[in-house]
Amino acid sequence: MKQPYEEYTAQNQAVWRYVMRVNIDYLKNTAHSYYLEGLEKTGILVDSIPKMEGMNRILKEIGWAAVAVDGFIPPNAFMEFQAYNVLVIASDIRTLEHIEYTPAPDIIHEAAGHAPIIANPEYAEYLRRFGEIGSKAISSEKDYEMYEAVRHLSIIKEDPNTCEKEIDKATEIVNVLQNNMGELSEMAQIRNLHWWTVEYGLIGELENPKIYGAGLLSSIGESKTCLQKEIEKIPYSIKAAQINFDITKPQPQLFVTPDFAHLSYVLEKFANTIALRKGGLKGIQKLIVSKNIGTIELSTGLQISGVFMNVVSDENKPIYIQTTGETALASRDKELIGHGVEYHKEGFGSPIGKLEGINLAIEDMSPKDLEAYGIYEGLKTELLFEGGVKVNGQIITGIRDLQGKIMLISFKNCTVTYQDETLFKPEWGIYDMAVGKDVVSAFSGPASSESFENIYEVPSEKTHKINYSKNKLKLHSYYNEIRKMRESEQISLVIIETIFNEVLNNYNKEWLLFLEIYELTYKTEGRFLEAVLKQLEKLKQDNKYKKLIEDGLNLLS
């Protein structure tokens, strides 16, 4: 989607500027050394919300790009963008009411939080690799429920027209889901690793760490509290994959990595535990539970992509797999000619493993071996697999890989049975049998990106476009007047005083605008400056504004 730059209000611009100024003032001493350099390298300015076109031009120099999206996108899709060195940026910006922190992804979080550290080559490679592995992680149905619930909460929380009752209800749903996730799926675990590193990571010494996580870099509240002794600091390890987080609250503990290289070490250690690298019966079972498009890869390199509905096992090994609906076959992530979803639109089933009583797997047989065991074109044959699956039919042809190993055998007049169950009948047409003694990998999504259309469902609920009242639009016009004066350096005390009185009478809690007025006039003297300061001091009596105003005033002193 295109960044709706013209829809940012002058108040939005003021929010961006305030957060950036306060953050840079604090983070120059507490963030990873690459933070300030990264802001410069990625073209992020303090005074105005970045334009995606400009960021793209600069990101290109470090091998990355940026794309605007509508709020939270499905986790696998997010990871896939990352795998291709694309920074996903939610183009909305937090409202003034949530200036310290918002659960919704926004341009402050994405551009000012993620982008600067990406300028570090070692960290950028970690992110890319994380996306590569994360996009293959298998989700559960609960993960999709959680995604929808968090997306809904983030959308309504950023809409000032939402009533508190609705927000409370949505928060409760998120809390219930967070506390009842059951056994964590691969996606839930890798999402935890993402949270404790990319979003909320600390780096360096355990006693005196620096900030590099985007969630902390973009939160003017939590970036300060996170380094306090009350927040437990834990050495980062693979154990973090089992620690859930609460997106609605500040985090009670954070993980510290000694350096960026350690992040990659833990990631690879985690990757060794998931179905992507382990395959097997458990991998297929995870895909069945997910109820989404996934892929298994056999020892021959044949890849089967679709929605897996059943697996028959024997002695803890898969002996027959079955998909439902559109299925595609591939090798080396490239779809096999003639074996796309149009051909396999009703699903795909095949035995897996070795033939009964024969030590040599079909894939390892030479042409002479195949002939000896009755596996050649034109022959009507019966193949009995270990575990009891029986294939009976006439061989038509086969497909081999580049090394000449057979991957697929096609039969006509074929019957496939297991015990008393018929798995395939001759009247159903040609039977394509996958060849492979083992399932070496199982992962989310299709093997070939060209096999399926729209594998990531577009969220039904869109980010709410805020409809401003005439009263709010008038307020935004005052922000705009102050902004224009500051940028042009043509300051009119008469106009400023008029604006101040209007805001005082009609928007007397608009602390950020009072701060901007004070910034333009604090070097002057007289009763007007005293009146602005008096109003700011009055607003400071409310704890909601106290710290925000103090931080703004400290920038001037």
Side-chain angles (χ1 to χ4, degrees), residues 130-143:
F130 197 105
E132 209 169 51
I133 293 165
S135 64
K136 304 292 187 186
I138 301 169
S139 301
S140 70
E141 275 195 294
K142 289 201 175 202
D143 293 322

Side-chain angles (χ1 to χ4, degrees), residues 42 50 81 83 115 133 162 177 205 262 321 369 377 458 474-475:
T42 50
F81 274 114
I133 293 165
T162 309
L177 285 170
E205 299 169 2
H262 184 67
I321 57 94
D369 293 326
E377 289 177 18
V458 177
K474 187 69 180 168
L475 172 64

